[in-house]
Amino acid sequence: MNILFDPYKNQLLYTAIAVALLLLLKYLLSKIIRKVGVISNYNDARTSLIVRYANIAIFFIGIAAISIIWNVDFEDLGLILSSIFAVIGVALFAQWSILSNITAGVILFFTFPFKIGDKIEILDKDFPVRATIEDIKAFHLLLRTEEDELVTYPNNLLLQKGVKVYGSSAEDDGSRSL
């Protein structure tokens, strides 16, 4: 049995260390994101979505680290990855808005001062909306207008437009502009 593992002793040790560090990073990052969610009074589903994005990023970092540890030939790996990314790139080119909405959702989680239940007005000359935020999803906001209509508004457009926050639906304490 030692004959099988002896040539790979260092790689196995470094892989174990890398996995342990990545699991620690995953745990700490999850704690930090959840703490930001609690401090900012964000919805649990919204916080869990950001944790999931962070876990995916850590997974790809882990794949890269293990590839380096095991001396994967990057020319062969580069050929495989370039082929995969070419196919994915063509497929996602038509769907670029999906990626921009996910990115906008992450930015909204960390930086914007509104949350579920807040009354907002989106200052858009073509489609002005004054509504209450019902939910914040990965791709869009669900807004309930004063006429009781349910409107979905893409996250990436929310970053491009001015937004006026009027406070929560429970308390109407005046307005503040973003």
Side-chain angles (χ1 to χ4, degrees):
M1 191 71 150
N2 285 340
I3 296 170
L4 181 64
F5 292 117
D6 274 345
Y8 305 109
K9 187 172 29 173
N10 288 339
Q11 284 96 340
L12 290 171
L13 176 65
Y14 294 148
T15 300
I17 292 170
V19 168
L21 289 175
L22 288 168
L23 288 174
L24 179 65
L25 178 65
K26 177 183 173 188
Y27 173 77
L28 291 175
L29 203 53
S30 174
K31 284 287 197 185
I32 290 169
I33 292 171
R34 291 193 189 281
K35 185 144 186 115
V36 167
V38 168
I39 290 171
S40 301
N41 199 21
Y42 291 138
N43 186 324
D44 288 337
R46 186 175 174 195
T47 304
S48 295
L49 184 67
I50 301 302
V51 168
R52 192 174 316 137
Y53 292 155
N55 289 341
I56 290 170
I58 289 171
F59 173 77
F60 284 115
I61 291 169
I63 294 294
I66 290 173
S67 297
I68 292 169
I69 290 170
W70 285 92
N71 297 321
V72 173
D73 186 10
F74 285 106
E75 290 178 7
D76 295 339
L77 187 62
L79 178 64
I80 292 169
L81 289 178
S82 65
S83 300
I84 290 171
F85 284 129
V87 171
I88 291 173
V90 169
L92 289 179
F93 181 72
Q95 298 298 327
W96 67 269
S97 64
I98 291 174
L99 294 176
S100 67
N101 280 320
I102 290 173
T103 305
V106 172
I107 292 170
L108 289 174
F109 177 79
F110 285 109
T111 60
F112 275 69
F114 49 77
K115 57 187 179 288
I116 295 173
D118 283 353
K119 292 180 183 179
I120 64 168
E121 180 178 357
I122 300 172
L123 307 172
D124 185 359
K125 67 178 180 172
D126 298 327
F127 188 68
V129 177
R130 185 170 179 163
T132 302
I133 299 175
E134 280 202 356
D135 201 359
I136 301 174
K137 303 284 188 180
F139 304 108
H140 59 274
L141 266 79
L142 292 176
L143 303 170
R144 181 72 59 185
T145 65
E146 294 169 345
E147 294 81 26
D148 202 36
E149 298 173 331
L150 186 64
V151 177
T152 61
Y153 202 82
N155 287 339
N156 62 348
L157 288 181
L158 196 67
L159 291 178
Q160 298 172 15
K161 306 295 180 187
V163 177
K164 193 180 253 188
V165 179
Y166 290 97
S168 69
S169 57
E171 57 182 64
D172 201 16
D173 59 358
S175 66
R176 58 190 192 273
S177 291
L178 302 177

